[in-house]
Amino acid sequence: MTMQGMTRWLKPAALGVLLWASLAGPARAADFYLKAAAMTKTMPNAGPAITMWGYVLCDATFTPLAGQVVQVPGPRLVVPPGDTTLNIHLLDGLPSAGSETSNTSLVIPELPATMVPTWTDGTTGPRTSTTQRVRSFTQEVAPGGSVTYTWTSLRPGTFLYESGTHPSVQVQMGLYGCVTIDAAAGPPAQAYPGVSYDNEAVLVFSEVDPAIHAAVAAGTYGTAPYTSTINYTPKYFFINGAPYPDTLAAPIFTKPFVLGQRILLRFLNPGEETHVPVLQDLYMTVVAQDGYPLPFPRTEYSLILEAGKTFDAIVTPTTSGLHGLFDRRLRLTNNMASNGGMLTYLTDNGAAGGCPGTVGSTLKLSKSGGQILFTWGNIALASSYIVYQSNVASLAPFTQQDTLNPTAPADGTTGATMPMPPDNLVFFLIAGDNLAGGGCVGPQR
Amino acid sequence: MNGMRELGWAALLAASLMAAPAARADNLPGSRPPDPYRSRTEGIDIQCPGATDPKAVCVSIACGDGFVKMADGSDQYIFGFQDVAGIDPTVMWSYGRLGAEFPAPTIWAKEGQHLYLTLTNLGMIMRPDLFDPHTIHFHGFPNAASIFDGEPMASFGVTQNNSVTYFYDLQEPGTFMYHCHQEASEHMQMGMLGQLYILAAQDDLPDGTLLGTFTHHTGYKYVYDDGDGSTKYDVEVPLQMSSFDPHFHAADLGIQPPPFATMVDVYPMLNGRGYPDTVNPGGIMNNRNAYRSDIPNKVAQKIPALITCTQGQKVLLRISSLSTTEFNTLTAPGFPMLVVGTGAHLLRGPDKPDGTPGKNLYYLTQTITLGGGESTDVIVDTTNVPRGTYFLYTSNLNELSNDNEDYGGMMTEFVVN
Amino acid sequence: MNRERKRMWTKEAATLAVLLLGIAVGSHATILGLTGTSPNPTFNFIAKQGYISTPDGNSIYCWGYANGATGAFQLPGPTLIVNEGDTVTITLQNQISIPGPPAVPGPAVSMIFPGQQNVSASGGTAGVLTQEAPSDGTTTVTYTFVAAHPGTYTYFSGTRMELEVEMGLYGALIVRPAGFDPNVAANRRAYDDPASQYDHEYLYLLSDLDPTLHPLVEQNKLDQYDNTTFFANNWLVTGRCFPDTMADPNVGYLPSQPYNTAPLTHPGEKVLLRFIGAGHDLHPLHHHGNNALMIAKDGRLLESAPGVSGPDLAVSDFTETVAPGETIDAIWVWYGYHLGWDEYGHTLGGPGPFQPNEIYAQSTLASSIGVADTTISVPAGTGHAFLPPPRTFRAIIWGAGYANPDLDPNREVVTATRSLTNPDTFTITRAQEGTAAQAWSVGSIIADTDHGLPLPVTMPSIQNLEFGQYASGSPFLGQSGALPPLQGGFNPYNGYYYMFHSHNEKEIVNNNVFPGGMLTMMGVLPYGAPIP
């Protein structure tokens, strides 16, 4: 624990949580407190509620911070540039899972660390027989206990953090997240020395086989038919923990999308399959993988995003429009249903190039009499929607602005209104509990 | 499977005859030399020129069937290769019965040598009804000639009780593979898969030779002729990714047609072993005696996947995949991997017209992804890796299984002392 | 170091290729497709349904893009071949009607074009990625874009892709660079860079299909269609499974699968392989015979300075990983270098003729040598083409007045090693293979060659072997030999054949029949043999 001499504050944002350190110093440490616990994720189209294991960001007493809930992927951990030590304090709040272990651990595959394995016979340290099998790649913790993992060889990059315990089960259950370390805070921030960006999006690709989750939740994993995960058959395919259309339920960018600006796409795959994200209408410049800068950047529209991989790519959209981003391995269903899975958009909502007004053909925003009218059709009605806003001029991070309870206008669409903000250079995204799309009201032109 | 093969070839003939031009243009260009195929009729003929070719290195490999044991204890019937160096042809059949090994014996040679590789087909002890030919395909050999490519559609397979000697002038160092290419979908699933490593001639430079700013010393080893010492390594470890479908193997043992259409691998392996057999530094004894009471058990899995080194050493991982079904990704939390070669080539851009080397494309990574028939050379510099035990495993995490057994599969350990 | 890469890269090599071509025939295999009329090519596509046949005897219900009202259903869709800078317009209508029972209209379909920027779409209805054409047979969606960059691209449906791509709605798009001319070697390029020059080009559009899913669509049982359990049993190259890949294009018995992939070349000629991933899975496409140099991905050269450096980041490999949605351009050349024996079966002094690819590296003596000298020098800057030290290579020295060593009765065989410090100085061992040491004057030729080296091993009797269909019966290029009955027969010019195939070997079957699937045979034919 090296909180001494540091000032920290938490700034809840639309995407994960950003931690900022304000004081420069020769040996700064970033400290994060995570609790691993169970949660439930409901699939779209009246799909099943799936038990998952995730992380919640806590204070030093492992009490969840305000507004923080257990989430999959876990909260993004932002290590301030220049910090030389990363401490992750982990409390095991996992439920009992029958014969399956509820002990857990945490690794960052891309960062060197001293690791002492724990074997399935419960012993730790060097192997003592040829029949031992590893349960945890590093020190594990039992339910109710906590442990601190420390990394001192930090470098800039986009990294995974994930369970190092029985990963074929625990990573599948959802114990993964993203760590980012920038080379310089900016603005503009630098992801790596010389790689500047104006805006960023974290894109975590993962899959779920509900049968394994059900077996773990029921405490029957380890008995037939789920004695191993060899017959893994994923049915749901997530970007940032949600399948399409729920991928649209929160902004993927940390700031408004402005044409001509450099967007850093941080791709991560804690899933078990290779995915091939394809960008529609755009090329990206791949600058790093696994937090190692590439010796020469590559320009491509597709990326072979293997299991356990991270990539950083810069994309600079210069034209308005709906730029699809989807998995060309065709993981584009929610179970059997079309129009689901690993699909989202890079949209230029509210950007200098103009506001397209519709996204995914589901949402329309218009200005009328000092009000903003939101209308949307052909989707299931949700009980509430959330409006995020940011200011295009200041490029501030998104903040939650309002909650809307929609009504049904006469034309059969769904709609709601909110007061027009005083400054019309304001950017919105809307999200709901069952939802929808994003939209914007752009600058007047 | 002979029956299915006949069917396949018959269909092939029927389908392609229409496309075949009628005329053969023999002797294009030049006149025909004596037909070399007619000069030998005996079965086993191990050709090794000895003193008449000072560059010669001779390897004698036999192929047939056998058994291996999976990490969950199950027996798998295999087709495979075994080393029969020095075995007299008159006793080779009795020596080699059910002796197939998995992976196949690793073949080592040095750039500049002439490899005389003799393959002897011993036939199938458990399947006397089969008379499959076999081949050795030197996978990746540059400028291969069809006759020594071991791809039978363009050349030939060697039939049972006979041998052939393949010849290779080893021009390029690197991490190659070899496998039987006869009815490849079956014979490769059944285990006829091995490694073939060509060591760099740069190893043999005189002590003190300057390679740019790097000084070579006797005993230094390099993956490639890098010209700058950048692929120097201290410890070398083979890692062959592969996997088995037990239903397919059972069908072959049970005299059933090969079930290509349902092939699903459930034993993911490194060097022919699932975890934790991968870390057993010894061999794995098979159980063939249970199938043929007159043949004692044998160590048929001889290549451990355990990686051990001393902190500060550079460890060369020669990683290749001969999976017959899928791509796999390996990951290694805690230590970086520097990729210096792919496809048995130094990872550099094309040389410039003036002969200066191309751009260095080495890159650091935490993962290696290979499909069947792909190889890569990875150097792990352990200078900054804390002493301890690390794990190298597939991030296709469901394949951390030995079929229905958990805590297994494609995983090994990397011990830094 | 890396000899074939060096050869491919250098301008000298380009010159050499031109020389070789002068000796070879003037034909250059090209890819079949629709070209439209530059600079505003317009294509009228109609999504139609039909059946493809697979060599295991199956007939599989598929969907595909057809060329206009009169064009038949085809798989893949027409290969579009346009020119850099063209404004490309594609109209799309949809006539898919699921047979059932009950018969129902098919879903809306669309087209997306990864790698093309500023694609405009109009007409039809809005879908998740682009405008879509409903299956009314009349609604027209129009896609327009400027083909701004040369390269290899793909198009496919952007609607319910897990269904429509599986069913066959995909194809290839090739953009020729400005100044492209198939009849002028220097302008026969894949990109705006001389390093992308080639002699022959072939399309490897790789796809995979699950034959259990297609009847569900055909029978209108879409409620049972589950692509999450996709399990391929047929693997295709540009719409066909081996051995159909090797049949002629547009053969009558494959009415819906017009494109073949039956590549041919001569030694030393550059073969451009255009790989496209069009299915679900990644495929490791292994090319026997030699490594290939991957020069581009996704329609962009692999270069450190785009538009300036040329493909200086190109990578040599013996297997290309082809992922769905991506494209790869690779150049494959078979030189026949350094086999350690003469692939033509020649002996020193003939009979010949001496073939162009028999010289691996060649220079001249920069100073004269006597019969006892053991060091030679070559003109500055020419030595690096020879094998680097400490490798030793066989070389022949002959008089400058002779076109090749066979013609000089005094030729001398030596073994040579380049100096570690000066690439233009060699240490030689004289008078090898029964030749006599000679005094050689300035300008005498020294070449690294296997010319005249005998086959080092004795082959078994043909009775001990089982030959394949592409075997010639001879180890030597352009020669034939006796074969057992029903063996060989598909190699009329006695070339060397190389399997280009998925190395996930389960993918070279047709359902339960081996061989098949994602497999083609590349033929390296002797000089003079025609290439269609």
Side-chain angles (χ1 to χ4, degrees):
Chain A
M1 280 266 307
T2 38
M3 295 290 283
Q4 196 174 9
M6 299 192 58
T7 303
R8 297 184 179 281
W9 67 91
L10 282 167
K11 189 173 181 60
L15 187 72
V17 168
L18 307 174
L19 275 173
W20 307 89
S22 63
L23 295 182
R28 298 183 309 184
D31 284 78
F32 299 96
Y33 294 81
L34 294 176
K35 177 183 175 184
M39 51 93 70
T40 301
K41 204 178 267 288
T42 301
M43 297 298 100
N45 311 326
I50 297 174
T51 298
M52 299 196 74
W53 292 353
Y55 296 105
V56 57
L57 194 65
C58 299
D59 65 16
T61 66
F62 290 106
T63 303
L65 291 167
Q68 292 295 304
V69 294
V70 181
Q71 62 180 79
V72 176
R76 174 182 174 185
L77 308 179
V78 178
V79 179
D83 276 15
T84 53
T85 298
L86 166 62
N87 295 310
I88 298 179
H89 312 270
L90 176 66
L91 176 78
D92 184 356
L94 296 175
S96 170
S99 62
E100 173 59 21
T101 186
S102 293
N103 293 1
T104 193
S105 62
L106 189 145
V107 297
I108 299 176
E110 300 88 356
L111 289 178
T114 299
M115 299 202 280
V116 178
T118 304
W119 310 96
T120 51
D121 58 15
T123 62
T124 65
R127 168 181 290 279
T128 54
S129 83
T130 56
T131 56
Q132 284 179 304
R133 298 166 193 248
V134 68
R135 184 168 68 204
S136 297
F137 299 141
T138 188
Q139 184 184 353
E140 65 176 33
V141 58
S146 67
V147 64
T148 297
Y149 301 101
T150 299
W151 291 264
T152 55
S153 297
L154 303 184
R155 66 177 191 275
T158 298
F159 309 112
L160 283 166
Y161 69 88
E162 61 187 18
S163 172
T165 300
H166 202 194
S168 58
V169 169
Q170 292 202 354
V171 176
Q172 169 60 208
M173 288 302 289
L175 292 177
Y176 48 78
C178 171
V179 180
T180 63
I181 306 176
D182 274 353
Q190 289 187 40
Y192 299 90
V195 179
S196 298
Y197 66 91
D198 306 306
N199 196 356
E200 62 174 330
V202 172
L203 299 161
V204 179
F205 287 67
S206 61
E207 324 99 27
V208 160
D209 178 352
I212 292 173
H213 291 248
V216 171
T220 58
Y221 181 86
T223 59
Y226 294 105
T227 57
S228 79
T229 56
I230 192 71
N231 295 320
Y232 180 60
T233 309
K235 293 291 189 181
Y236 294 95
F237 308 94
F238 297 168
I239 295 176
N240 294 341
Y244 182 87
D246 291 357
T247 50
L248 309 179
I252 62 169
F253 300 110
T254 51
K255 292 190 292 192
F257 179 118
V258 176
L259 290 183
Q261 288 198 341
R262 298 158 296 189
I263 302 171
L264 175 64
L265 301 178
R266 301 182 188 266
F267 292 91
L268 302 96
N269 182 1
E272 307 190 20
E273 301 180 333
T274 297
H275 298 285
V276 183
V278 165
L279 272 177
Q280 185 186 13
D281 259 8
L282 293 171
Y283 276 84
M284 55 191 156
T285 302
V286 183
V287 296
Q289 53 155 8
D290 298 333
Y292 300 109
L294 291 175
F296 299 96
R298 302 196 309 253
T299 301
E300 51 199 40
Y301 62 73
S302 68
L303 202 55
I304 300 178
L305 183 64
E306 304 103 326
K309 196 77 189 163
T310 83
F311 279 106
D312 293 301
I314 300 280
V315 61
T316 309
T318 55
T319 55
S320 290
L322 195 66
H323 304 298
L325 171 65
F326 58 92
D327 178 24
R328 184 54 181 76
R329 293 206 70 198
L330 309 181
R331 294 310 207 177
L332 298 169
T333 61
N334 297 329
N335 199 351
M336 291 165 63
S338 292
N339 294 330
M342 291 169 166
L343 169 65
T344 190
Y345 302 100
L346 310 186
T347 57
D348 56 348
N349 301 325
C355 177
T358 62
V359 170
S361 73
T362 58
L363 176 69
K364 179 171 280 187
L365 292 84
S366 56
K367 301 177 199 174
S368 174
Q371 298 273 303
I372 297 176
L373 173 64
F374 298 83
T375 54
W376 55 98
N378 67 30
I379 53 166
L381 184 67
S383 57
S384 68
Y385 294 86
I386 303 165
V387 178
Y388 295 94
Q389 87 167 39
S390 175
N391 186 304
V392 171
S394 68
L395 296 181
F398 287 110
T399 54
Q400 184 175 330
Q401 176 69 13
D402 202 349
T403 299
L404 300 180
N405 300 107
T407 58
D411 65 358
T413 60
T414 305
T417 59
M418 66 173 282
M420 176 73 108
D423 176 357
N424 67 2
L425 288 177
V426 166
F427 171 86
F428 296 91
L429 271 164
I430 185 164
D433 55 2
N434 189 20
L435 201 290
C440 73
V441 175
Q444 299 281 7
R445 347 192 117 254
Chain B
M1 305 300 295
N2 213 44
M4 294 307 290
R5 184 180 68 246
E6 300 300 341
L7 184 65
W9 282 109
L12 187 65
L13 265 171
S16 344
L17 269 173
M18 283 173 270
R24 293 177 66 93
D26 284 350
N27 289 343
L28 228 193
S31 63
R32 182 190 305 178
D35 186 342
Y37 285 102
R38 300 207 179 124
S39 44
R40 184 168 66 76
T41 54
E42 67 271 30
I44 300 180
D45 176 17
I46 297 163
Q47 298 183 40
C48 186
T52 63
D53 183 353
K55 293 180 174 178
V57 54
C58 300
V59 173
S60 181
I61 298 268
C63 58
D65 56 352
F67 286 91
V68 291
K69 188 181 287 295
M70 299 291 95
D72 66 354
S74 75
D75 298 327
Q76 297 298 324
Y77 177 60
I78 64 166
F79 300 166
F81 298 101
Q82 61 183 307
D83 185 0
V84 288
I87 304 299
D88 191 283
T90 59
V91 300
M92 197 179 287
W93 274 278
S94 56
Y95 172 87
R97 290 192 308 161
L98 274 187
E101 298 171 9
F102 185 65
T106 301
I107 296 173
W108 303 78
K110 181 153 284 190
E111 182 186 3
Q113 288 182 326
H114 291 167
L115 173 61
Y116 292 76
L117 176 56
T118 301
L119 173 67
T120 302
N121 183 347
L122 298 181
M124 311 288 193
I125 299 298
M126 302 303 293
R127 290 295 304 274
D129 60 310
L130 285 185
F131 19 116
D132 288 22
H134 292 291
T135 75
I136 287 179
H137 167 54
F138 187 144
H139 181 105
F141 185 74
N143 288 296
S146 295
I147 185 177
F148 298 136
D149 195 33
E151 193 288 290
M153 210 181 302
S155 57
F156 56 80
V158 61
T159 54
Q160 197 170 322
N161 302 339
N162 294 307
S163 67
V164 64
T165 298
Y166 299 92
F167 173 82
Y168 309 96
D169 187 0
L170 302 173
Q171 290 296 315
E172 294 185 9
T175 298
F176 298 91
M177 297 160 250
Y178 74 96
H179 58 85
C180 180
H181 219 300
Q182 189 84 36
E183 293 163 273
S185 308
E186 178 191 23
H187 287 202
M188 292 175 64
Q189 166 65 228
M190 289 300 289
M192 305 187 79
L193 314 172
Q195 306 309 304
L196 203 167
Y197 301 147
I198 308 302
L199 305 178
Q202 187 173 297
D203 295 359
D204 297 333
L205 289 173
D207 188 67
T209 302
L210 274 179
L211 295 167
T213 58
F214 179 87
T215 305
H216 169 81
H217 290 295
T218 300
Y220 281 12
K221 295 175 289 187
Y222 312 89
V223 198
Y224 292 97
D225 297 320
D226 53 51
D228 58 10
S230 59
T231 65
K232 178 178 176 292
Y233 63 89
D234 302 301
V235 178
E236 181 177 18
V237 180
L239 288 175
Q240 176 192 282
M241 300 152 76
S242 64
S243 45
F244 276 177
D245 172 2
H247 301 293
F248 195 99
H249 290 244
D252 252 323
L253 182 60
I255 320 185
Q256 301 298 311
F260 293 118
T262 56
M263 192 190 292
V264 176
D265 286 340
V266 295
Y267 286 108
M269 292 177 279
L270 291 170
N271 295 346
R273 305 175 181 201
Y275 184 80
D277 282 355
T278 46
V279 300
N280 186 332
I284 308 294
M285 181 72 79
N286 72 6
N287 192 33
R288 63 182 178 176
N289 183 248
Y291 301 84
R292 280 296 296 257
S293 58
D294 57 330
I295 304 178
N297 290 339
K298 166 183 177 169
V299 172
Q301 289 146 286
K302 294 178 174 171
I303 308 178
L306 178 64
I307 305 158
T308 55
C309 69
T310 304
Q311 188 184 45
Q313 286 185 317
K314 288 184 172 177
V315 180
L316 167 63
L317 306 178
R318 293 187 185 266
I319 310 177
S320 59
S321 171
L322 280 168
S323 169
T324 51
T325 58
E326 61 196 351
F327 282 79
N328 276 103
T329 302
L330 290 176
T331 188
F335 58 87
M337 300 193 276
L338 180 71
V339 177
V340 301
T342 62
H345 271 64
L346 185 64
L347 191 55
R348 287 212 180 127
D351 294 349
K352 297 204 175 79
D354 66 359
T356 56
K359 285 207 154 48
N360 192 326
L361 305 180
Y362 303 171
Y363 63 91
L364 282 164
T365 183
Q366 216 64 43
T367 66
I368 297 292
T369 298
L370 298 177
E374 299 184 341
S375 76
T376 193
D377 302 289
V378 168
I379 290 179
V380 180
D381 183 347
T382 61
T383 302
N384 295 316
V385 179
R387 290 182 177 85
T389 300
Y390 300 86
F391 297 84
L392 183 71
Y393 60 93
T394 180
S395 51
N396 310 113
L397 299 169
N398 58 309
E399 305 208 3
L400 296 175
S401 310
N402 304 315
D403 195 6
N404 288 314
E405 181 187 84
D406 218 342
Y407 296 99
M410 192 179 285
M411 179 189 293
T412 189
E413 293 169 13
F414 190 118
V415 179
V416 181
N417 293 309
Chain C
M1 314 253 168
N2 203 311
R3 295 191 46 76
E4 74 270 24
R5 284 190 296 162
K6 181 187 299 172
R7 294 232 158 243
M8 222 174 292
W9 180 243
T10 58
K11 292 197 170 92
E12 290 90 324
T15 313
L16 177 65
V18 173
L19 287 172
L20 295 178
L21 284 168
I23 296 156
V25 295
S27 56
H28 307 286
T30 192
I31 293 170
L32 300 177
L34 304 179
T35 56
T37 306
S38 191
N40 294 297
T42 299
F43 307 97
N44 300 308
F45 277 12
I46 301 177
K48 297 182 181 178
Q49 60 196 335
Y51 295 83
I52 63 164
S53 64
T54 56
D56 51 324
N58 206 357
S59 181
I60 300 173
Y61 175 72
C62 287
W63 300 340
Y65 298 106
N67 180 23
T70 58
F73 154 77
Q74 68 173 79
L75 186 87
T79 297
L80 300 180
I81 303 172
V82 301
N83 297 315
E84 180 179 2
D86 281 359
T87 298
V88 181
T89 300
I90 300 164
T91 67
L92 178 65
Q93 295 177 337
N94 180 357
Q95 295 181 354
I96 294 171
S97 172
I98 292 174
V104 294
V109 302
S110 64
M111 295 178 74
I112 57 175
F113 305 87
Q116 306 307 320
Q117 295 171 278
N118 303 321
V119 178
S120 74
S122 61
T125 55
V128 292
L129 290 176
T130 188
Q131 296 299 111
E132 303 178 335
S135 57
D136 56 12
T138 57
T139 300
T140 300
V141 179
T142 303
Y143 306 99
T144 304
F145 57 87
V146 175
H149 291 268
T152 304
Y153 302 96
T154 180
Y155 64 83
F156 47 86
S157 177
T159 304
R160 299 182 70 177
M161 277 183 262
E162 79 291 345
L163 170 67
E164 299 188 1
V165 171
E166 166 72 35
M167 293 302 286
L169 290 168
Y170 48 75
L173 168 65
I174 292 169
V175 181
R176 304 287 192 197
F180 175 81
D181 185 341
N183 300 314
V184 176
N187 295 334
R188 197 187 309 113
R189 298 175 175 178
Y191 291 86
D192 294 318
D193 190 281
S196 65
Q197 190 272 336
Y198 62 87
D199 298 299
H200 311 287
E201 61 171 346
Y202 299 101
L203 176 62
Y204 281 77
L205 184 145
L206 309 181
S207 62
D208 37 46
L209 67 83
D210 180 343
T212 67
L213 291 175
H214 291 240
L216 295 175
V217 179
E218 182 179 14
Q219 296 160 21
N220 190 23
K221 296 176 181 169
L222 281 171
D223 58 332
Q224 297 172 38
Y225 181 94
D226 184 357
N227 205 267
T228 66
T229 58
F230 171 79
F231 189 80
N233 264 316
N234 290 107
W235 294 271
L236 299 86
V237 181
T238 323
R240 295 184 184 180
C241 309
F242 183 83
D244 292 343
T245 50
M246 300 297 292
D248 285 345
N250 299 309
V251 289
Y253 60 93
L254 295 168
S256 310
Q257 296 148 279
Y259 301 135
N260 71 344
T261 309
L264 295 169
T265 187
H266 300 112
E269 293 176 358
K270 296 178 182 177
V271 179
L272 173 67
L273 303 169
R274 298 182 185 266
F275 295 107
I276 296 174
H280 294 64
D281 289 333
L282 291 79
H283 301 288
L285 210 291
H286 172 54
H287 27 73
H288 283 234
N290 219 346
N291 276 34
L293 193 63
M294 173 179 164
I295 61 167
K297 171 174 159 48
D298 290 349
R300 294 291 183 270
L301 282 173
L302 299 174
E303 47 188 351
S304 59
V308 176
S309 61
D312 56 346
L313 311 180
V315 174
S316 171
D317 210 327
F318 44 58
T319 305
E320 314 298 331
T321 295
V322 183
E326 78 165 349
T327 74
I328 287 173
D329 296 295
I331 291 182
W332 181 91
V333 189
W334 188 87
Y335 297 95
Y337 291 172
H338 286 127
L339 297 179
W341 51 283
D342 186 322
E343 73 257 34
Y344 295 102
H346 294 159
T347 50
L348 266 182
F354 194 86
Q355 297 294 304
N357 68 320
E358 293 194 61
I359 300 290
Y360 315 150
Q362 177 175 324
S363 189
T364 56
L365 300 192
S367 54
S368 62
I369 58 170
V371 294
D373 284 332
T374 57
T375 302
I376 63 166
S377 57
V378 295
T382 65
H384 66 78
F386 292 80
L387 287 179
R391 298 286 305 285
T392 295
F393 55 92
R394 172 189 186 260
I396 303 178
I397 305 175
W398 72 91
Y402 299 98
N404 67 60
D406 287 336
L407 303 174
D408 182 353
N410 294 320
R411 63 189 166 264
E412 179 184 350
V413 178
V414 300
T415 56
T417 309
R418 260 170 50 186
S419 160
L420 281 164
T421 51
N422 182 351
D424 301 317
T425 302
F426 301 177
T427 302
I428 59 173
T429 306
R430 309 291 301 267
Q432 301 294 299
E433 300 177 26
T435 60
Q438 308 284 343
W440 294 105
S441 57
V442 172
S444 298
I445 299 164
I446 178 168
D448 176 0
T449 175
D450 284 342
H451 178 69
L453 280 175
L455 193 70
V457 293
T458 305
M459 302 310 296
S461 161
I462 60 170
Q463 309 308 327
N464 295 358
L465 304 174
E466 184 178 294
F467 290 84
Q469 293 182 311
Y470 292 90
S472 67
S474 169
F476 304 119
L477 186 59
Q479 312 287 336
S480 68
L483 286 171
L486 289 179
Q487 298 182 21
F490 291 81
N491 184 0
Y493 297 103
N494 302 311
Y496 284 175
Y497 272 81
Y498 297 101
M499 189 182 280
F500 282 24
H501 66 111
S502 171
H503 212 286
N504 282 348
E505 303 272 340
K506 72 170 286 189
E507 300 179 348
I508 56 169
V509 303
N510 298 319
N511 225 310
N512 260 328
V513 181
F514 177 94
M518 195 174 281
L519 193 167
T520 72
M521 296 296 286
M522 160 69 81
V524 176
L525 304 186
Y527 294 109
I531 292 175

